[in-house]
Amino acid sequence: MALFRIRHKPGELVARMLRGSWRRNPPEFDLSESELDQVVPLLLASGAAALGWWRVRNSSLKKTQPALELQQAYRLHSLQSALHESEIKDLVTLARDAGAEPVLVKGWAVARMYPEMGLRPYGDVDLCFSKESYAKAEAAFSGLDRTTYQVDLHEGFSKLDGQSAEELLSRSRTISIGGLDVRVMGAEDQLRILCTHALRHSVWRPLWLCDIAAAVESRAADFDWQRCLGRDAREADWVACAIGLAHRFLGAEIKTTPVERRANELPGWLVRRTLKNWDAPFPELYPPLSYTRQFVTYFRDPTGMLRTLRMRWPDPIEATIRMRGPFNRFPRWPYQIANAAGRITMFLDGLRRSGPKLD
């Protein structure tokens, strides 16, 4: 019976494995060796392996082969973290020398909330610049060796958040990285961005809810919830729901927060869909990352078109966010249809302007 549950509900197993994993002293490990063996591939593929080791490291299973695989990932991420810190210092210094003040987002800015930097892996260094300084940064980075430095430059913050760049910059703060002060988002803005980013991408990576849980539990005593939730009531509800998912699946502590009531009243479809997405949290299975062909090529060779259409059907969580819908208990198909129609319109508009490129 236990094996049946594991085989058909791996998302629940992932949630059990990562429960409280962002804390310095996580809860007592309660998985069996067979359950651990089942969940390790999911953790390795989704970037949460180091957190898995953090949970199992003091248990009786720490010497088993599955646990040792997690430990190896933890060691690798710890090494990469040290290399990333040196890389960040070089990149920030380069930008400043060009007269462009960067704001470090995601990556290190999120990993620093964990007990150890190596627990939260990340790849590219993301730097945001004001509209006025972006051109200077772009010119300074134009000759950068991209095989050594993996960096993404962003003009403003529109891809991250709906609030103005002026507001976000005014609330940013500096944190020391190896003796160098680096500018990061304010805690309230960062939590809001973590929540909306996770929902915008269908919460397909369990690690994103760990980030949200770590941000909620590490907030300072003067954390401004009104600033975090923002002025838009619908977006504030999205944030509350994302925190609610972190509480529901991972045990994030939300008592005395203004989102506690909403977090305990999540719509059933949101809970079910998150677990379904966690059944296979592999990058190569996440639709936007798994398209192997441009859709226009199917007009000439329709092989595989039906499978591609199924893959491209909007996820209900993502569609709700894209269409700015509420997270209520009503069906999601109106938002999915509207989102799909919008994508089709953009696709056809692109064809009209450029013509199909089939060769």
Side-chain angles (χ1 to χ4, degrees), residues 122-141:
Y122 57 95
D124 294 349
V125 176
D126 289 90
L127 299 176
C128 290
F129 298 86
S130 67
K131 188 174 183 179
E132 296 74 22
S133 61
Y134 178 75
K136 297 178 183 178
E138 200 171 32
F141 283 72

Side-chain angles (χ1 to χ4, degrees), residues 127-196:
L127 299 176
C128 290
F129 298 86
S130 67
K131 188 174 183 179
E132 296 74 22
S133 61
Y134 178 75
K136 297 178 183 178
E138 200 171 32
F141 283 72
S142 62
L144 199 67
D145 181 1
R146 296 293 176 148
T147 61
T148 302
Y149 297 99
Q150 297 181 2
V151 58
D152 283 336
L153 308 183
H154 305 275
E155 181 179 357
F157 303 87
S158 59
K159 292 184 178 180
L160 297 174
D161 195 65
Q163 297 198 17
S164 71
E166 291 74 18
E167 287 180 289
L168 296 173
L169 283 170
S170 69
R171 297 196 293 258
S172 65
R173 53 182 178 152
T174 57
I175 302 291
S176 178
I177 301 181
L180 178 69
D181 285 342
V182 175
R183 190 166 296 279
V184 298
M185 304 292 288
E188 294 85 357
D189 296 321
Q190 176 160 278
L191 176 54
R192 182 181 61 257
I193 290 170
L194 288 173
C195 291
T196 55

Side-chain angles (χ1 to χ4, degrees), residues 20-27 50-51 53-55 57 74 78 81 85 108-120 207 210-211 213-215 217-218:
S21 59
W22 60 90
R23 297 174 184 149
R24 186 164 297 279
N25 297 301
L51 287 173
W53 167 250
W54 196 247
R55 284 227 49 205
R57 75 192 195 284
Y74 161 77
S78 297
S81 175
E85 287 197 5
W108 184 92
V110 176
R112 66 184 179 82
M113 299 186 301
Y114 288 81
E116 293 184 8
M117 298 295 291
L119 293 176
R120 209 301 184 183
L207 187 61
C210 292
D211 293 341
E217 294 191 3
S218 65

Side-chain angles (χ1 to χ4, degrees), residues 157-163 185 188-204 208-209 212 228-230 232 234-243 245 286 317-318 320-322 324 327:
F157 303 87
S158 59
K159 292 184 178 180
L160 297 174
D161 195 65
Q163 297 198 17
M185 304 292 288
E188 294 85 357
D189 296 321
Q190 176 160 278
L191 176 54
R192 182 181 61 257
I193 290 170
L194 288 173
C195 291
T196 55
H197 174 270
L199 295 172
R200 192 177 296 115
H201 296 282
S202 311
V203 202
W204 71 276
W208 293 336
L209 289 193
I212 292 170
C228 173
L229 296 174
D232 187 299
R234 181 153 296 178
E235 289 187 6
D237 188 61
W238 294 346
V239 172
C241 287
I243 294 173
L245 289 173
Y286 178 55
I317 302 175
E318 180 181 358
T320 302
I321 296 293
R322 300 291 181 185
R324 294 193 58 80
F327 278 25

